[in-house]
Amino acid sequence: MSTGQTLYEEVGGKPAVKAIVENFYDRILADPNLTRFFEGKDMKRIKSHQRALVTVALGGASETYTGKMMGPAHAGLAIDSGSFDRVLQHLADALTARDVRPITVEKVLAILEALRKDIVQAQPVLGQ
Ligand code: HEM
């Protein structure tokens, strides 16, 4: 059964998304296993990353942020599958902390899961 709502609406719309991004960002920065990926980047860039990621996760991404783009965006970062899992877990926790329903959390994770192959150990794409 579909609720007829977009995922963005399902998680609670703009104010909820803002709170989720903040919470997600705090969790990422507090995780010593993820520090190396964001070292040397300023807070603004990290937060804009978390926002971009949540936007993609909620299906609100424009054509710019498709799987096709995820390879080049993460090329050379050597993101392993375990780190990818951790980022997804932090997002799931941030959603749950905001009382998002488990079925909605699962939908969000499924969207990101589809990008794993593009992001984990992403290689630069020649000609781009
Ligand atoms: C799970 C799905 C993910 C999505 C949808 C996503 C989205 C993006 C996007 C759109 C960019 C390019 C734009 C920008 O820099 O803001 C990017 C860059 C980046 N991503 Fe991700 N990302 C994901 C997972 C990850 C993971 C798992 C890590 C690390 C463990 C990561 C670390 C980074 C870093 C370090 C950059 C470069 C940021 C910079 O240069 O400031 N991303 N990501």
Side-chain angles (χ1 to χ4, degrees), residues 70-114:
M70 289 297 106
H74 298 92
L77 293 172
I79 298 170
D80 56 288
S81 223
S83 300
F84 187 89
D85 288 339
R86 294 189 82 86
V87 168
L88 262 59
Q89 187 59 51
H90 289 310
L91 180 58
D93 291 346
L95 290 162
T96 303
R98 191 72 201 184
D99 292 330
V100 172
R101 292 185 309 156
I103 181 115
T104 305
V105 176
E106 272 179 43
K107 284 192 229 169
V108 169
L109 294 187
I111 290 172
L112 295 180
E113 190 52 54

Side-chain angles (χ1 to χ4, degrees), residues 20-54:
I20 290 160
V21 170
E22 293 285 335
N23 190 307
F24 179 40
Y25 166 85
D26 289 346
R27 287 172 196 272
I28 298 270
L29 287 194
D31 185 341
N33 293 288
L34 296 175
T35 321
R36 69 182 189 279
F37 297 108
F38 299 100
E39 237 160 31
K41 312 242 181 266
D42 68 27
M43 303 287 212
K44 262 204 194 135
R45 282 203 63 82
I46 301 171
K47 195 165 281 185
S48 99
H49 177 256
Q50 263 40 269
R51 209 179 298 118
L53 196 157
V54 171

Side-chain angles (χ1 to χ4, degrees), residues 52-53 56-57 65-71 74 84 88 108-120 122:
L53 196 157
V56 172
Y65 286 148
T66 57
K68 221 168 154 191
M69 229 218 120
M70 289 297 106
H74 298 92
F84 187 89
L88 262 59
V108 169
L109 294 187
I111 290 172
L112 295 180
E113 190 52 54
L115 299 173
R116 181 188 296 263
K117 61 179 187 330
D118 300 303
I119 292 172
V120 171

